[in-house]
């Protein structure tokens, strides 16, 4: 047992205090006692948050896959590393041991090398949730290539933007991906994307759905053919702690998505630390995180955190609604899942269904429940507690971000007293604070403000790929010397944090972060549109939904509104993916603007949410008259 994994609340408090008083000693002791390093570090932490520049374990060398795989082989080679639950419940699940994982990752790594992949190359993974995706992630890490996983629900435009942004040389995809009753034509979408990507040299195609696909010879290679002859041994590349491990894109307030960069050493240390502390993983537990590896939750808590801890992690290819809304509970029963980590949007959707879906399955194996991705409302929390946990399983409401790499504020399961809707306390090593409107730290324990972090932790993102200035502007400029999260939060008299939601122009729909500016730009591309303003509004299941206010060109005001509405929805859906499609589109003759010409989204947010009695002072608007019309025609 490691002394760095708390067993009770007083141990947590002690660890927390130690981590704040002597952060370098704390992380240095944890890191040196829990991992395989090829060379120790020269300095534990160097940082300057005004640059910002942060490095952890500088000078150290390692390979994260030796920590996730090789070191478990001697004693736990026959332990199941990955349980694969296929989309179709009539197909056999797979149990992949650590020994088999080693073979598959090494063969995949050698396959990448045989195509010419080298340390430092960027490799885009656009794949379904099948074991080969996990093998490929780890294979990249094995050879020191930088993976950029793009969620397989994204459109070809989103994919090509991401491939080009990181100049990926290779794309790994599949002929198709199963999602419930549907097949996503991944290879066709990738083909479309790659037309815009001169950087791509080779494409590896996994056969999954036997779908008909186009083939570009010389560029495209079948996975099963290329991997066949590869050796089961591939030496792990020596990586510096601060070498890039991966890039993962997240939506921002403005413009293009941001490629968040995570590095090898600190990310490994913190995902392992947080996984073990938060979920209190025990050697024989079966752990299931329902996220997709295309998101940070999948990177940190399906792949790296659990595998570095030698855990059994379940990968589910399908969706919660297929073949019916009982699927999650069937999977829990089938694999005797002990720890379930999912999202509020899934909980709300499942809570809408007949309770018999839950009660028909034997889910008594569950011991710990988790949630992530957006604030969880009280009703959903209580339903999860009553009907899934039968008031017997602690719920960990874990707050964190793509940028933070790992869980930042969360109860430790069974240790921290929980309160519905509260993420409660920061993990050891995490120093949150609340800032008021004037940029001053809220000094009282009880308070409210913008959530910032005032000291670096090992898995903080190091930069935005290719754009350090944007990294600084977005996260380190609003409150100098602090990392600004983009979230608002409240703190109660006992120091428990409750995250209240985004305070910037990011809207979280069904757990997916969407940048409103990006959607506006696409709507603006429609020839009939003069201008669009996009805001989020509360939705009972998705958390939020998208509401677009649109003005039409003088020449096209007679155009049929229903046609226009469906054209705009299709345009957004085709360009950015269906998740970004506005639920409501209201056509207006003008958008409320300040005298400097900025759209007053604050007012539009209130209209969309139906809060019609509290606009504040609108007399300073350039065009106050349009507000009345907008309110009257509200959808
Ligand atoms: C939101 C997901 C409330 C928050 C790991 C954050 C949450 C954004 C919670 C990051 C939670 C995540 N309670 N809000 N437990 N977890 N969020 O980058 O607004 O996809 O800034 O990372 O999700 O989303 P991302």
């Amino acid at each position: 047992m490691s002394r760095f994994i708390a067993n009770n609340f007083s141990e947590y408090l002690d660890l927390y205090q130690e981590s704040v008083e002597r952060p370098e000693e704390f992380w240095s002791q944890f890191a040196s006692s829990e991992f395989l390093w090829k060379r120790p570090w020269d300095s534990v932490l160097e940082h300057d948050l005004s640059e910002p520049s942060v490095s952890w374990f500088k000078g150290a060398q390692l390979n994260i896959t030796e920590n996730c795989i090789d070191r478990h082989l001697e004693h736990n080679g026959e332990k199941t590393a990955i349980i694969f639950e296929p989309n179709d419940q009539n197909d056999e699940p797979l149990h992949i041991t650590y020994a088999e994982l080693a073979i598959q990752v090494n063969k995949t790594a050698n396959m990448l090398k045989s195509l010419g992949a080298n340390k430092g190359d960027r490799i885009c993974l656009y794949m379904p949730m099948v074991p080969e995706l996990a093998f490929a992630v780890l294979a990249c890490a094995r050879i020191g290539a930088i993976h950029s996983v793009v969620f397989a629900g994204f459109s070809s435009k989103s994919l090509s933007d991401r491939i080009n942004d990181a100049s990926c040389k290779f794309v790994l995809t599949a002929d198709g991906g199963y999602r419930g009753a549907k097949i996503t034509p991944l290879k066709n979408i990738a083909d479309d994307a790659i037309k815009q990507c001169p950087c791509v040299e080779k494409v590896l195609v996994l056969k999954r759905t036997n779908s008909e696909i186009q083939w570009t010879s010389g560029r495209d290679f079948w996975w099963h053919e290329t991997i066949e002859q590869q050796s089961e041994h591939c030496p792990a590349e020596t990586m510096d702690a601060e070498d890039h491990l991966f890039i993962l894109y997240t939506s921002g307030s403005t413009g293009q998505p941001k490629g968040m960069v995570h590095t090898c050493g600190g990310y490994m240390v913190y995902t392992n630390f947080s996984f073990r502390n938060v979920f209190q993983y025990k050697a024989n537990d079966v752990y299931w995180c329902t996220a997709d590896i295309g998101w940070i939750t999948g990177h940190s808590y399906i792949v790296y955190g659990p595998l570095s801890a030698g855990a059994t992690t379940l990968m589910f290819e399908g969706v919660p609604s297929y073949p019916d809304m009982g699927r999650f509970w069937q999977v829990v029963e089938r694999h005797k899942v002990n720890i379930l980590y999912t999202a509020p949007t899934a909980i709300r959707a499942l809570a809408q269904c007949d309770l018999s879906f839950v009660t028909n399955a034997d889910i008594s194996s569950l011991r710990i429940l988790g949630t992530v991705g957006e604030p969880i409302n009280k009703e959903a929390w209580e339903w999860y507690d009553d009907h899934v946990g039968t008031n017997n399983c602690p719920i960990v409401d874990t707050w964190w971000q793509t940028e933070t790499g790992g869980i930042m504020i969360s109860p430790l399961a069974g240790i921290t007293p929980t309160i519905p809707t509260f993420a409660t306390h920061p993990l050891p090593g995490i120093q949150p604070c609340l800032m008021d409107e004037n940029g001053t730290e809220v000094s009282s324990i009880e308070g409210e403000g913008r959530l910032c972090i005032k000291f670096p932790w090992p898995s903080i993102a190091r930069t935005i790929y290719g754009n350090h200035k944007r990294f600084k502007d977005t996260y380190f400029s609003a409150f100098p010397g602090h990392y600004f999260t983009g979230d608002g939060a409240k703190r109660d008299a006992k120091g428990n944090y409750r995250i209240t939601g985004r305070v910037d122009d990011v809207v979280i729909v069904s757990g997916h972060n969407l940048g409103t500016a990006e959607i506006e730009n696409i709507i603006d591309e429609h020839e009939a549109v003069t201008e669009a303003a996009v805001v989020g509004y509360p939705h009972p299941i998705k958390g939020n939904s998208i509401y677009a206010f649109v003005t039409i060109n003088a020449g096209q005001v007679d155009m049929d509104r229903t046609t226009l509405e469906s054209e705009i929805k299709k345009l957004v859906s085709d360009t950015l993916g269906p998740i970004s499609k506005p639920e409501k589109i209201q056509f207006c003759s003008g958008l409320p603007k300040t005298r400097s010409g900025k759209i007053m989204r604050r007012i539009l947010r209130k209209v969309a949410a139906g809060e019609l009695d509290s606009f504040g002072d609108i007399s300073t608007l350039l065009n106050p008259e349009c507000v009345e019309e907008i309110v009257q025609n509200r959808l």
Side-chain angles (χ1 to χ4, degrees):
M1 275 316 286
S2 165
R3 78 167 187 91
F4 292 93
I5 310 304
N7 289 305
N8 53 52
F9 198 60
S10 96
E11 281 185 20
Y12 157 75
L13 292 173
D14 289 347
L15 284 174
Y16 188 79
Q17 195 173 359
E18 184 184 340
S19 76
V20 171
E21 284 171 3
R22 295 184 300 279
E24 297 195 16
E25 268 174 69
F26 180 87
W27 288 114
S28 158
Q29 281 181 23
F30 177 69
S32 57
S33 60
E34 299 290 326
F35 303 93
L36 277 182
W37 300 89
K38 292 172 189 271
R39 182 188 186 280
W41 42 91
D42 301 318
S43 69
V44 184
L45 169 65
E46 287 177 19
H47 71 285
D48 175 353
L49 289 187
S50 64
E51 287 290 330
S53 74
V54 175
S55 60
W56 282 92
F57 312 112
K58 201 168 168 183
Q61 293 178 332
L62 76 154
N63 187 292
I64 196 168
T65 67
E66 290 185 329
N67 286 278
C68 289
I69 306 170
D70 304 51
R71 65 165 166 159
H72 305 312
L73 297 179
E74 192 184 344
H75 300 296
N76 282 315
E78 294 316 306
K79 178 173 176 176
T80 301
I82 297 177
I83 299 176
F84 172 62
E85 168 72 18
N87 179 62
D88 185 339
Q89 62 180 1
N90 299 316
D91 288 350
E92 276 302 302
L94 301 176
H95 290 81
I96 300 159
T97 63
Y98 274 94
E100 286 162 342
L101 180 65
I103 293 173
Q104 293 302 335
V105 169
N106 284 330
K107 289 185 81 163
T108 310
N110 284 325
M111 165 170 77
L112 295 175
K113 279 189 177 171
S114 76
L115 293 181
N118 289 310
K119 182 174 180 175
D121 284 344
R122 275 80 58 209
I123 301 187
C124 174
L125 278 50
Y126 184 66
M127 293 183 58
M129 273 289 284
V130 292
E132 286 82 355
L133 170 56
F135 303 158
V137 161
L138 293 161
C140 288
R142 187 88 177 163
I143 64 169
I146 301 165
H147 56 77
S148 166
V149 184
V150 177
F151 173 58
F154 274 129
S155 65
S156 64
K157 158 99 170 47
S158 304
L159 177 60
S160 63
D161 284 351
R162 286 161 176 76
I163 293 174
N164 283 329
D165 186 73
S167 310
C168 295
K169 248 173 96 177
F170 304 92
V171 175
L172 275 47
T173 188
D175 53 352
Y178 293 117
R179 273 187 79 72
K182 281 193 273 184
I183 290 181
T184 315
L186 297 176
K187 171 67 163 69
N188 293 350
I189 300 172
D191 281 342
D192 253 4
I194 295 166
K195 282 187 200 138
Q196 316 299 328
C197 305
C199 49
V200 173
E201 293 173 8
K202 286 175 181 151
V203 178
L204 258 176
V205 188
L206 181 78
K207 192 173 261 200
R208 176 64 186 141
T209 55
N210 285 310
S211 307
E212 207 167 299
I213 57 171
Q214 304 288 315
W215 199 256
T216 305
S217 56
R219 185 198 72 180
D220 297 350
F221 297 82
W222 279 115
W223 193 296
H224 60 275
E225 289 173 2
T226 322
I227 204 166
E228 203 177 31
Q229 303 301 327
Q230 302 299 337
S231 150
E232 296 177 1
H233 301 283
C234 175
E237 187 69 40
T238 299
M239 304 298 286
D240 284 341
E242 283 296 329
D243 278 343
H244 295 182
L245 174 63
F246 65 84
I247 303 170
L248 183 62
Y249 289 85
T250 185
S251 299
S253 295
T254 52
Q256 293 280 315
K258 303 166 287 194
M260 305 312 308
V261 173
H262 284 284
T263 56
C264 298
Y267 178 82
M268 170 181 78
V269 167
Y270 193 75
T271 50
N272 174 284
F273 175 84
S274 50
F275 172 74
R276 291 162 67 196
N277 263 307
V278 170
F279 297 106
Q280 293 286 306
Y281 184 84
K282 303 281 177 288
N284 295 315
D285 282 342
V286 174
Y287 161 87
W288 179 22
C289 166
T290 70
D292 191 288
I293 291 179
W295 310 113
I296 190 68
T297 306
H299 281 60
S300 301
Y301 299 111
I302 295 178
V303 181
Y304 289 113
L307 295 178
S308 73
T312 298
T313 173
L314 192 150
M315 268 181 86
F316 175 42
E317 184 183 27
V319 292
S321 55
Y322 180 78
D324 60 40
M325 293 302 279
R327 184 65 188 275
F328 267 20
W329 319 122
Q330 293 299 332
V331 174
V332 170
E333 173 176 320
R334 187 180 209 178
H335 299 291
K336 306 219 170 359
V337 171
N338 306 108
I339 306 173
L340 174 67
Y341 188 29
T342 191
T345 191
I347 298 168
R348 288 189 294 262
L350 295 165
Q352 299 284 308
C353 307
D354 199 295
L355 205 52
S356 62
F357 283 116
V358 189
T359 51
N360 283 346
D362 175 3
I363 57 169
S364 57
S365 55
L366 288 174
R367 201 164 50 77
I368 288 162
L369 305 175
T371 132
V372 59
E374 58 190 302
I376 181 164
N377 50 309
K378 196 157 184 276
E379 299 70 38
W381 197 101
E382 283 171 350
W383 184 86
Y384 202 28
D385 189 33
D386 291 343
H387 300 293
V388 182
T390 54
N391 304 114
N392 243 329
C393 302
I395 296 179
V396 292
D397 176 358
T398 66
W399 172 82
W400 59 296
Q401 310 179 296
T402 306
E403 295 84 340
T404 69
I407 297 169
M408 302 288 281
I409 304 183
S410 168
L412 309 188
I415 289 178
T416 312
T418 58
I419 315 168
T421 77
F422 278 77
T424 73
H425 292 285
L427 263 64
I430 307 305
Q431 301 185 32
C433 62
L434 300 174
M435 306 298 274
D436 69 17
E437 303 276 298
N438 308 317
T440 318
E441 185 175 341
V442 175
S443 55
S444 53
I445 296 203
E446 209 170 346
E448 179 167 10
R450 314 219 145 189
L451 180 62
C452 291
I453 316 288
K454 48 182 174 181
F455 194 81
W457 62 100
S459 64
I460 182 176
R462 302 301 195 260
T463 190
I464 291 175
Y465 192 80
N467 199 343
H468 197 67
K469 179 172 184 304
R470 187 173 177 201
F471 186 59
K472 177 174 175 168
D473 292 347
T474 311
Y475 303 105
F476 298 89
S477 298
F479 305 99
H482 293 68
Y483 166 78
F484 173 45
T485 64
D487 284 318
K490 290 183 176 167
R491 191 168 51 209
D492 75 6
K494 289 189 167 161
N496 288 292
Y497 284 86
R498 175 178 178 201
I499 314 301
T500 48
R502 302 291 311 187
V503 295
D504 56 8
D505 291 319
V506 171
V507 179
I508 305 189
V509 178
S510 298
H512 304 298
N513 298 9
L514 307 178
T516 53
E518 213 184 345
I519 303 175
E520 287 168 2
N521 293 342
I522 302 301
I523 300 180
D524 289 346
E525 278 174 21
H526 192 287
E527 55 178 10
V529 171
T530 311
E531 198 173 28
V534 164
V535 297
Y537 70 98
H539 183 281
I541 292 177
K542 299 179 191 172
N544 294 288
S545 230
I546 295 292
Y547 195 128
F549 296 88
V550 175
T551 59
I552 304 173
N553 288 336
Q556 268 147 322
V557 280
D558 295 333
M559 193 173 167
D560 176 59
R561 295 292 193 272
T562 320
T563 314
L564 187 53
E565 183 180 329
S566 53
E567 283 182 13
I568 292 174
K569 285 187 177 172
K570 184 168 183 317
L571 179 66
V572 176
S573 181
D574 290 351
T575 325
L576 296 176
I579 281 274
S580 302
K581 191 167 68 179
E583 182 119 351
K584 294 182 178 175
I585 299 181
Q586 178 175 345
F587 297 102
C588 1
S589 59
L591 298 173
K593 292 200 176 161
T594 62
R595 293 194 182 262
S596 58
K598 266 184 95 178
I599 299 174
M600 285 284 272
R601 287 190 179 67
R602 179 175 61 80
I603 294 176
L604 298 175
R605 264 185 227 118
K606 294 215 153 160
V607 175
E611 296 163 13
L612 305 178
D613 49 2
S614 56
F615 292 142
D617 183 12
I618 60 168
S619 64
T620 57
L621 288 179
L622 195 63
N623 50 352
E625 68 287 350
C626 74
V627 176
E628 196 175 322
E629 178 212 292
I630 287 177
V631 170
Q632 263 172 19
N633 297 336
R634 179 179 170 264
L635 299 172

